[in-house]
Structures are given as structure tokens and as C-alpha cells.
Amino acid sequence: MSASVHKETAEDLARSVRDGSRSASEIARAFLERTGRTSDRLGTYLHLDPESILAAATAVDDRRKSGEPLGPLAGVPVAIKDNICIRGVPTTCGSRILEAYRPPYDAHVITRLRQAGAILFGKTNCDEFAMGSSNENSAYKPVRNPWDPERVPGGSSGGSAATVAAREAPLALGSDTGGSVRQPAAFCGVVGLKPTYGSVSRYGLVAFASSLDQIGPLARSARDAALLFDSIVGRDPRDMTSRPEAKGVDLEELERGVKGIRIGIPGQFLGEGLDPEIRACLDQVRDGLAREGATELDVALPHARYAIATYYLIAPAEASSNLARYDGVRYGLRAGNGDLRGMYETTRGLGFGREVKRRILLGTYALSAGYYDAYYLRAQKVRTLIRRDFTEAFGKADVLLLPVTPTPPFRLGEKTEDPLAMYLNDIYSIPASLAGVPALSFPAGFTKSGLPIGLQLVGKPVDETTLLRVARAWEKASDAARRAPALAEAAA
Amino acid sequence: MRIDAGTVRKIAALARLRVAPEDEERYVRELQEILTYVEQLQALDVEGIEPTSTVVAGEPVPLRPDEEISSDVRDEALAAAPDREEDYFRVPRVV
């Protein structure tokens, strides 16, 4: 029985634990065993402690035996990106500066997952402080794409996407600032949701760019993503941006199909530079959804082409401020002899990697005297224009359909020497981040060479339901979400 | 905007970040390239446009009730310190 556990949906796993047909311990053992076969090759985990995983599973089984109610994720392993705090568990953010750090508290989402009966399944590898689009910025090791280990899994939540794609864990949490859940989801062929800004509390998420950061689920299906989202959504007084109107998703809503849903396609924005196979896939999905009863229309996002320039001023500026806390005084690495200032400079010089330093320098520059108005303030004004584009588009459309990335997954090392080329890869994911609206990457198809293609749905604020509903309709209409990487099949 | 090694040294000092001399040229080149790219924003007319500092719309976030709560994590927090003395974080001498 345990041989088939990894093929089950999270929904079915939780149901089987609740009705007693499977134990949480059996599930935990099965996933630990699978993870053991592939995670070293893929580089998916920075910390995995089988003992605590099995202890948590036993606790769920004990609760069932004593007749206590079990939550919606009872016994389901959920991998956690390493920038989300778990009390007493190493939380490095993929950085040397937090190498030995163990937070004294749980993030809000961790508290919620514990309440839902989930099994916290290891800390996933990521780009350092969530800065990157390829997972090559982890200070510890890169993550590899389960569909082709010579290629990147995307970033920064590359470990979370790859572990779900490789069937090492049924669910994972990531964080998305400019596309860090959606882009790796697209590269790894899984579902990744960036919720509406403010829907999920960031209490305990290590801050990168606070006006953009949002925690989101990764899963193999729209229903499983909805289940995980539903377990973490909602108001938390410890996050001042947490929205009172945030709401979860009713799974039955997802089965209603797309009849009458108005799908907007920003034709002009897609423009040049989009890989022809991704373009063809988008046309195929558009036609397929039209056959299911959706209507299609063209929308304009005239300022979206300025999104990368806007983002690479706002996000580094906020990061330079947020990362000022790593000073070698209260936690994390301390280095350098001599005076206090020298200690700060040496600690940060040794503790941060190249990409993090580049962004701190860029952000410090954009905020420095004489440049604030020309860079940061201007970027915030352009952000307003980008938001207005979305408001206008949603006057006509219920949901927007666009690519997640301009190309399929690229090779390791291909863009590491050219930061701007790496940044340009985020052209389609960043606009929704700046607007604060929900966006989802779903498995849409494959290239001729067998690499996954993800497409993106962008929705109105707090309307995650429609995104998941359209993705669910495509799951039923195509087999894109049913294929598994050869590496995962071989490990079965 | 032209970036040179002096600019990099100046902002690195502001950010309390040691940049190795052999890395300076690389940062000059990369920051110059990125700043040249973001120059495109200068072409947009943003006259009269309000800046977006947060995308949280609608009702103001309600304040939580003013209740006493316990957050006794002093020992755990101090346990993470690279250097401490009794209940204090210890740093290099500043005076």
C-alpha cells in the first residue's frame, strides 16, 4: 500500500487518515523513503529530520485513536520553504548569515498547519533570502529540476516546487515576492498560487520586500492547492497588512467549470521574446477553455512593460532596509575583530552572497540622498499606473491568462553571470505582484523536448477561487497535470 | 547616472557592507547595467500620480484589543546571540 502513497492527492491522504484506512505514520514513512532516494540528487532540502516527522505523525495517529477530531490536512506532509520560521528548527533562508539560527517561535502559517493536522516535512532549499529566479543563489547548494537535472527548477521557492514535482512531498509552502512561487511552479510542472497581498499572514516569514511578500501553496493539483491555501488564509493581528476580507476556497466551487467566465488576454504585452512553444501552448489553452464555455477578450496592460524596472527599484530598496537587521549582534553569524562598525561590515560581507549584496547596494543607492525622488518615489508612482491597468482590465475580464515565464527552464549556469538577463525572466510574473492581486501558475502543457510549460492566471483581489476553478477546468480537459517526471517514476 | 568604484564604496559604507576590492569592478558594471535599464521609467509622465506604498485597500486594518499577553522568550532569544554577558547582547567596545 505504501508504494502508492506518493501518487495520492493530499485530499485523499487526509481523508484516508481521518477514516482510518491509512495511518499518518505509514504516510510519513513512505514519503521519507521516497525523499531519501532523490533529494540528494535534486538538492531539495536544507534540513530534514525524520525523527521529528515520525513523532508528529505518531501524534496524529494517537489523536485519532483517542477519538479527537482531525483537521483537513491530517497526516499530510507539507514541506516548508526555509525562510518560514519553525520554532527550534534551523531556518537559514539559504544564507550563511543564518546558518545556525533556530527561531524561538512559529510563523502564523506553521501554527495553522499544526492545527490542520499537517506534518511539517523539512525545510526546502531556496535562493538566499528569496532573491533569485533559478535557485542557484542558495549558499548551500543549487536545486535541480526533476524533469531535467541539468536545468534549473526556477526560484526562489525552487526546493518547494521540485520536491512536489518529484513526489517527495504532496504539498509545500513557498513565498512569492516577484514570482517566486509561480515561476518555479511553472518550471517544475506543478500548481503554485500567490494569494492576494494580505490574504496570508507573514508573521514568521523572513522579510524580503514587505510591500510585495506573500506566502503561497505549491501542489500537484488545483484542489490540493486550494486545500492548503484554505488552511493558511485569514486574518492575523500580528501582520498589520493582513486583510479582514481574506477568504478561503470552497472545493466544490472549483468543479463548476468555466462556462461564462470572461478570460482576458493581454495580447500586446505578450509581444516579442516569448518562446514560440509557450505561445502555442497559451493559444491551445485559450481555445480549450473557449470550448468549455469561457469567453475570450483582449485586454491592455499598457504599463506592464515597466514592471521589471519598477520592481528592481522597489524590491531592493525594501530589502536593503529589511536586511539591515543582520548585524551580528542578536543572532546569526558574527565575524571580524576590532570595532563595532568593522564587526557589522565584516559580518555582512562574509554572511551575504553576491546577489543579496548586489540588491542591498542597489536598494541603498535608490534610497540615498539625492536619488530618492528619481528612483524610489518614481517607481512607486509607476506602480500606481500598473495597478490601474489591472483595475481597468478587471472591469471587462474575470481573469487574465498570460505566460509565467518567457522561456522553458534554462540550464544551470546559463544566466548566473548576467544578473539583468536573470531579472528579465520575471517579466510576466512581476506585474501581478506590484498590483497585489492573486495569481496562479498551473501545468498547461509540455515542450517537444518534454519540459513543463506553466501558464498564469491573474484574478481580482481575494478571488483566488476563480483562478483555481479555471486551473481545475484545464486539469480535466488535458493531461498536463497528470504526467510525472521520469526521475519520480523511476524512484517509485 | 554613472557609477564608479567610488560610488560603490560609498553605498557599501552606507549599507555597512564590506565589498572586497577585487569585486568592486564587477559591482560597478552590474549596477551600471541595472540602473541604465531602470532609466526607462524617466520617460513616463507621472505628474499628479499618487505613489503606491501599500496595496492593502478598503477598510483600515482593525486594531487588536489592548490586552496584556505574555511573550516570555527572553532566554530563548538570548540563546541565539553570537556573544552575550548575563542578560545582555555583547558587542565590541564603542566608547
Side-chain angles (χ1 to χ4, degrees), chain A residues 202-231:
Chain A
R202 287 98 43 90
Y203 178 79
L205 170 70
V206 176
F208 160 17
S210 301
S211 76
L212 298 156
D213 297 340
Q214 191 61 200
I215 295 171
L218 294 115
R220 294 205 316 271
S221 71
R223 285 180 71 97
D224 277 3
L227 190 66
L228 182 51
F229 173 64
D230 205 49
S231 299

Side-chain angles (χ1 to χ4, degrees), chain B residues 33-69:
Chain B
E33 195 187 7
I34 297 163
L35 288 168
T36 302
Y37 177 80
V38 303
E39 279 297 312
Q40 59 179 281
L41 298 188
Q42 305 301 329
L44 277 170
D45 181 8
V46 293
E47 185 68 33
I49 304 292
E50 284 295 311
T52 293
S53 56
T54 175
V55 292
V56 176
E59 294 295 303
V61 173
L63 295 176
R64 63 179 161 80
D66 187 15
E67 286 163 359
E68 190 181 340
I69 52 168

Side-chain angles (χ1 to χ4, degrees), chain A residues 87 104 197 211 235 240-242 244 305-306 308-310 313 328-332 334 338-341 344-346 348-349 352 354 357-358 360-362 364-365 371 374-375 378 380-385 387-388 417 419-420 423-424 434 436, chain B residues 1-3 7-8 11-19 23 26-27 30-31 33-35 37-46 49-57 60-62 64 73 76-77 80-83 89-94:
Chain A
R87 184 177 175 146
Y197 182 81
S211 76
R235 167 121 183 94
M240 62 164 304
T241 64
S242 163
R305 55 188 284 246
Y306 298 102
I308 293 180
T310 304
L313 288 169
V329 173
R330 291 150 298 154
Y331 45 77
R334 175 185 292 195
D339 65 0
L340 184 63
R341 183 171 177 145
Y344 291 155
E345 291 179 342
T346 308
R348 292 161 63 77
F352 291 137
R354 199 182 292 281
K357 284 185 201 165
R358 185 156 48 230
I360 290 174
L361 291 172
L362 184 60
T364 304
Y365 183 77
Y371 299 109
Y375 289 119
R378 176 167 283 264
Q380 286 187 315
K381 289 178 177 174
V382 179
R383 187 175 182 182
T384 303
L385 298 174
R387 289 176 67 196
R388 284 184 188 168
E417 292 306 307
L420 186 59
Y423 297 172
L424 295 177
L434 291 168
Chain B
M1 182 49 58
R2 283 237 62 86
I3 301 283
T7 323
V8 168
I11 53 179
L14 288 172
R16 303 290 185 268
L17 196 59
R18 179 148 300 156
V19 171
D23 287 340
R26 185 190 183 111
Y27 285 123
E30 290 170 351
L31 293 181
E33 195 187 7
I34 297 163
L35 288 168
Y37 177 80
V38 303
E39 279 297 312
Q40 59 179 281
L41 298 188
Q42 305 301 329
L44 277 170
D45 181 8
V46 293
I49 304 292
E50 284 295 311
T52 293
S53 56
T54 175
V55 292
V56 176
V61 173
R64 63 179 161 80
V73 294
E76 276 176 285
D83 194 7
F89 297 108
R90 196 177 147 125
V91 295
R93 191 186 171 100
V94 285

Side-chain angles (χ1 to χ4, degrees), chain A residues 264-281:
Chain A
I265 297 177
Q268 199 154 31
F269 177 48
L270 304 188
E272 295 158 30
L274 178 59
D275 181 276
E277 286 192 278
I278 297 181
R279 174 76 227 197
C281 181

